[in-house]
């Protein structure tokens, strides 16, 4: 279990993290979201024991990160921001070094190092110096060192930054397979990632928690939740269609993007309009290229929540 | 203790993974030769000892040791690997001692590679090898003291060049602590006891005492205390500002 109690970190007059409290249980994959500079990295550093909190405390599996630092650190696998490592070392030497410091020896060391080499597909670059590797490989080396001791808690700061789409997919699968019995905290600003791997999302803005929900709940907060998007063939029809759609009983508003010949129909609170829109389209004989029911757009929720927090903070 | 050993061996290997080790050793040996034979007048003196050789060690260390120590922590800070190291399950003290031990072992190797001059003097004459052994010990201890100072200053800086320059100045002050150059700065206003203490801190005096072949426990303890103190300061500095 990770327990954060009123974590606060100030840098001079700047409060980077402001009174953050949360608990993460095994089996949870927590996504830390927030604009750059919101305090994600500082929070993760405090949990990993790199930055001491100005006030408040963090606990890993019952061990205080500050007072029982070594015990807490033994239980964490940590990928720092930017995946730093020792550039002059070969991948093999580096992983063995971390494994040794982590207390692995003999056969167990070999088994574990081979395991992470396989999982992150590093076999082809084992004897290359880390500084000569591409950004994607370096990130994977960083991930490999974080999981080499099979820790119960994983703290990963932007684990997929710099990876191509295939590699991102692999890393997400890796996180998925490890998620069952571990506690995983990742930070990201890629919203699709939250949908793909996280069971819970905490959005922080200006050092404070502004949302703490499942990704589905977050999407439900979007004004696009249950909205219907239509795309038609003829641009000339768009305005007339919008007028008709606005006439439907359950419809709150209709947005038009003429350039892409797209209309988005927003339902009134709690209502559903898909059946009505679809029926209207059939009866009018509109030729549609697309008709979709929206789940909700995370990016829209993210933007709204974080900008609200920013204006509140400024006021 | 395991942590110290693992970190030290990684660090030690890192010296030889880059040109640093080879460049350092070659320059160290070349300068040693130049100083001993040209400035020291090794042959002209016609004496079977290594005084002209050891006399230049403090001055050579003054410039070369900060070049090793500057990277100890400043590089970790700059590359961000300090965040990795400090979140591994090793104490700050273990990391400080491990890195220092590697640097010291490295200078010990450079120093050991000066053995041809020892062979030369034994071939040419009949020197007192006990005195030479004592001088090597003194030289190694002094190098350790320089390194410990450099370690602390490197921990306080992100920039290696800044660390180099400050280390050089601090080492210079310690080296000459017993000389008017440094003492005059204090003698005007500080009480005599303080001035005497500062005079007693001089690396040069302690080193000269040992290199004459008199291994006084006090001189050895002096260097060990200097090393311990500066390494302790390194750990304090790191704990205070590892993340800055």
């Amino acid at each position: 279990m990770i327990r954060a109690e009123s974590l606060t970190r100030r840098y001079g007059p700047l409060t980077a993290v402001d009174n953050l409290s949360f608990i993460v249980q095994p089996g949870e994959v927590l996504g830390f979201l927030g604009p750059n500079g919101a305090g994600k990295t500082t929070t993760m550093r405090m949990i990993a024991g790199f930055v001491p909190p100005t006030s408040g405390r963090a606990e890993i599996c019952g061990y205080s990160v500050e007072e029982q630092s070594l015990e807490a650190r033994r239980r964490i696998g940590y990928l720092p921001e930017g995946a730093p490592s020792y550039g002059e070392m070969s991948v093999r030497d580096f992983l063995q070094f971390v494994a040794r410091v982590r207390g692995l020896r003999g056969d167990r060391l070999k088994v574990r190092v081979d395991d992470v080499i396989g999982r992150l597909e590093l076999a082809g670059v084992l004897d290359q110096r880390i500084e000569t590797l591409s950004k994607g490989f370096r990130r994977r080396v960083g991930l490999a060192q974080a999981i080499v001791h099979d820790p119960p808690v994983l703290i990963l700061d932007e684990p997929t930054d710099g990876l191509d789409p295939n590699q991102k997919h692999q890393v997400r699968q890796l996180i998925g397979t490890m998620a069952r019995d571990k506690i995983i905290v990742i930070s990201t600003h890629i919203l699709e990632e939250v949908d793909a791997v996280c069971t819970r999302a905490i959005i922080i803005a200006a050092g404070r928690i502004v949302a703490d929900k499942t990704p589905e709940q977050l999407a439900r907060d979007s004004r696009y939740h249950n909205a219907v998007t239509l795309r038609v063939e003829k641009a000339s029809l768009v305005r007339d269609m919008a007028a008709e759609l606005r006439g439907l009983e359950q419809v709150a508003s209709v947005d038009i993007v003429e350039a892409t010949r797209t209309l988005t129909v927003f339902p009134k609170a709690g209502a559903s309009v898909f059946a009505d829109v679809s029926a209207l389209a059939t009866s009018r004989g509109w030729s549609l290229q697309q008709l979709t029911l929206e789940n909700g757009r995370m990016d829209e929720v993210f933007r709204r929540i974080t900008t609200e927090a920013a204006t509140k903070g400024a006021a | 203790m395991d942590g110290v050993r693992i970190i030290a061996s990684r660090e030690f290997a890192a010296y030889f993974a880059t040109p640093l080790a080879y460049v350092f050793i070659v320059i160290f040996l070349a300068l040693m030769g130049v100083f001993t034979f040209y400035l020291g007048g090794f042959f002209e003196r016609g004496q079977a000892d290594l005084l002209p050789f050891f006399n230049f060690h403090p001055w050579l260390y003054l410039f070369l040791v900060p070049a090793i120590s500057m990277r100890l922590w400043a590089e970790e800070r700059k590359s961000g690997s300090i965040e990795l190291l400090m979140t591994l399950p090793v104490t700050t003290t273990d990391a400080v001692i491990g890195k220092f031990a590697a640097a010291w072992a490295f200078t010990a190797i450079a120093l050991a590679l000066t053995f041809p001059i020892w062979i030369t003097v034994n071939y040419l004459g009949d020197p007192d090898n006990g005195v030479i052994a004592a001088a090597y010990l003194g030289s190694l201890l002094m190098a350790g003291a320089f390194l410990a100072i450099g370690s602390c200053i490197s921990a306080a800086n992100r920039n290696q060049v800044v660390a180099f320059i400050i280390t050089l100045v601090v080492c210079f002050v310690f080296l000459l602590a017993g000389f008017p150059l440094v003492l005059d700065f204090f003698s005007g206003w500080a009480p005599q006891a303080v001035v005497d203490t500062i005079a007693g801190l001089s690396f040069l005096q302690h080193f000269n005492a040992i290199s004459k072949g008199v291994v006084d426990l006090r001189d050895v303890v002096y260097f060990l205390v200097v090393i311990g103190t500066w390494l302790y300061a390194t750990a304090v500095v790191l704990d205070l500002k590892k993340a800055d």
Side-chain angles (χ1 to χ4, degrees), chain A residues 9 11 41-53 65 69 73 78 80, chain B residues 76-77 80-87 238-244:
Chain A
R9 174 72 204 192
Y11 292 103
T41 294
T42 306
T43 307
M44 297 187 114
R45 282 179 170 170
M46 285 193 282
I47 297 172
F50 183 57
V51 172
V65 171
S69 176
R73 283 191 237 166
Y78 179 45
Chain B
E76 296 256 359
R77 211 182 267 288
S81 54
I82 191 169
E83 185 166 1
L84 185 82
L85 183 62
M86 292 313 212
T87 51
L238 283 172
D239 276 335
L240 279 179
K241 52 178 290 180
K242 62 188 169 192
D244 293 356

Side-chain angles (χ1 to χ4, degrees), chain A residues 42-71:
Chain A
T42 306
T43 307
M44 297 187 114
R45 282 179 170 170
M46 285 193 282
I47 297 172
F50 183 57
V51 172
T54 311
S55 64
R57 62 195 296 274
E59 223 175 64
I60 304 285
C61 306
Y63 294 101
S64 159
V65 171
E66 284 212 272
E67 281 109 50
Q68 296 150 297
S69 176
L70 290 188
E71 288 302 318

Side-chain angles (χ1 to χ4, degrees), chain A residues 125-170:
Chain A
V125 295
L126 276 185
D127 294 310
Q128 238 172 292
R129 288 155 76 106
I130 295 173
E131 65 197 358
T132 66
L133 297 176
S134 67
K135 204 177 168 196
F137 265 119
R138 270 188 238 180
R139 182 79 33 167
R140 278 146 70 190
V141 170
L143 278 164
Q145 66 77 22
I147 62 174
V148 73
H149 54 305
D150 196 20
V153 175
L154 272 176
I155 314 273
L156 309 174
D157 202 344
E158 303 199 337
T160 61
D161 191 36
L163 301 186
D164 68 32
N166 294 335
Q167 295 166 340
K168 276 187 186 158
H169 180 72
Q170 277 172 358

Side-chain angles (χ1 to χ4, degrees), chain A residues 2 22 24 28-34 39-41 43-45 47 76-81 139 143 146-147 153-161 163 168 171-176 178-179 182-204 215 298 302:
Chain A
I2 299 180
F22 57 86
V24 198
E28 277 191 293
V29 181
L30 171 65
F32 251 118
L33 292 171
K40 300 188 293 278
T41 294
T43 307
M44 297 187 114
R45 282 179 170 170
I47 297 172
I76 298 180
Y78 179 45
L79 173 71
E81 183 186 34
R139 182 79 33 167
L143 278 164
I147 62 174
V153 175
L154 272 176
I155 314 273
L156 309 174
D157 202 344
E158 303 199 337
T160 61
D161 191 36
L163 301 186
K168 276 187 186 158
V171 168
R172 284 174 198 159
Q173 274 192 323
L174 177 72
I175 293 173
M178 292 188 302
K182 290 191 196 305
I183 300 171
I184 303 180
V185 179
I186 66 169
S187 80
T188 180
H189 43 238
I190 309 168
L191 293 155
E192 53 175 278
E193 198 148 294
V194 178
D195 240 352
V197 297
C198 297
T199 59
R200 178 177 162 196
I202 288 185
I203 300 184
I204 57 177
M298 292 271 268
F302 176 83

Side-chain angles (χ1 to χ4, degrees), chain A residues 5-24:
Chain A
E5 283 170 20
S6 314
L7 278 181
T8 301
R9 174 72 204 192
R10 290 192 198 90
Y11 292 103
L14 175 86
T15 305
V17 173
D18 191 0
N19 207 13
L20 238 56
S21 299
F22 57 86
I23 289 175
V24 198

Side-chain angles (χ1 to χ4, degrees), chain A:
Chain A
M1 190 169 77
I2 299 180
R3 183 197 297 273
E5 283 170 20
S6 314
L7 278 181
T8 301
R9 174 72 204 192
R10 290 192 198 90
Y11 292 103
L14 175 86
T15 305
V17 173
D18 191 0
N19 207 13
L20 238 56
S21 299
F22 57 86
I23 289 175
V24 198
Q25 301 283 2
E28 277 191 293
V29 181
L30 171 65
F32 251 118
L33 292 171
N36 289 332
K40 300 188 293 278
T41 294
T42 306
T43 307
M44 297 187 114
R45 282 179 170 170
M46 285 193 282
I47 297 172
F50 183 57
V51 172
T54 311
S55 64
R57 62 195 296 274
E59 223 175 64
I60 304 285
C61 306
Y63 294 101
S64 159
V65 171
E66 284 212 272
E67 281 109 50
Q68 296 150 297
S69 176
L70 290 188
E71 288 302 318
R73 283 191 237 166
R74 281 196 185 102
R75 286 161 178 79
I76 298 180
Y78 179 45
L79 173 71
E81 183 186 34
S85 56
Y86 292 106
E88 81 285 346
M89 294 180 96
S90 72
V91 173
R92 188 200 307 273
D93 288 348
F94 177 65
L95 292 178
Q96 283 179 349
F97 163 70
V98 174
R100 267 193 209 110
V101 176
R102 292 285 188 184
L104 300 176
R105 295 288 182 278
D107 284 348
R108 173 99 180 117
L109 182 141
K110 194 179 169 335
V111 169
R112 286 303 309 160
V113 170
D114 286 347
D115 178 61
V116 296
I117 288 168
R119 277 178 189 242
L120 288 144
E121 299 184 2
L122 295 170
V125 295
L126 276 185
D127 294 310
Q128 238 172 292
R129 288 155 76 106
I130 295 173
E131 65 197 358
T132 66
L133 297 176
S134 67
K135 204 177 168 196
F137 265 119
R138 270 188 238 180
R139 182 79 33 167
R140 278 146 70 190
V141 170
L143 278 164
Q145 66 77 22
I147 62 174
V148 73
H149 54 305
D150 196 20
V153 175
L154 272 176
I155 314 273
L156 309 174
D157 202 344
E158 303 199 337
T160 61
D161 191 36
L163 301 186
D164 68 32
N166 294 335
Q167 295 166 340
K168 276 187 186 158
H169 180 72
Q170 277 172 358
V171 168
R172 284 174 198 159
Q173 274 192 323
L174 177 72
I175 293 173
T177 57
M178 292 188 302
R180 220 170 310 126
D181 48 348
K182 290 191 196 305
I183 300 171
I184 303 180
V185 179
I186 66 169
S187 80
T188 180
H189 43 238
I190 309 168
L191 293 155
E192 53 175 278
E193 198 148 294
V194 178
D195 240 352
V197 297
C198 297
T199 59
R200 178 177 162 196
I202 288 185
I203 300 184
I204 57 177
R208 283 182 215 177
I209 296 182
V210 289
D212 180 355
K213 297 176 173 176
T214 66
E216 296 78 44
Q217 283 170 334
L218 268 183
R220 224 170 287 154
D221 287 349
S222 164
R223 73 190 268 263
Y224 285 90
H225 181 62
N226 277 343
V228 177
T229 299
L230 310 88
R231 199 161 81 207
V232 294
E233 270 173 7
K234 287 188 195 141
S236 55
L237 277 177
V238 170
R239 284 177 181 283
D240 299 342
M241 285 169 65
E244 288 214 50
L245 287 165
R246 284 196 186 99
L248 289 173
E249 194 187 335
Q250 302 288 356
V251 170
S253 66
V254 178
D255 278 7
I256 310 174
V257 184
E258 281 192 68
T260 56
R261 309 182 308 279
T262 309
L263 301 99
T264 305
V265 184
F266 295 98
K268 288 180 179 159
S272 166
V273 291
F274 187 80
D276 293 352
V277 170
S278 142
L280 184 69
T282 319
S283 71
R284 292 289 186 274
W286 293 336
S287 64
L288 301 180
Q289 289 180 320
Q290 185 199 342
L291 177 66
T292 26
L293 176 64
E294 303 245 4
N295 265 327
R297 296 186 186 172
M298 292 271 268
D299 56 343
E300 186 254 341
V301 181
F302 176 83
R303 217 161 32 234
R304 182 160 47 77
I305 293 180
T306 52
T307 47
E308 269 171 19
T311 34
K312 238 187 273 168

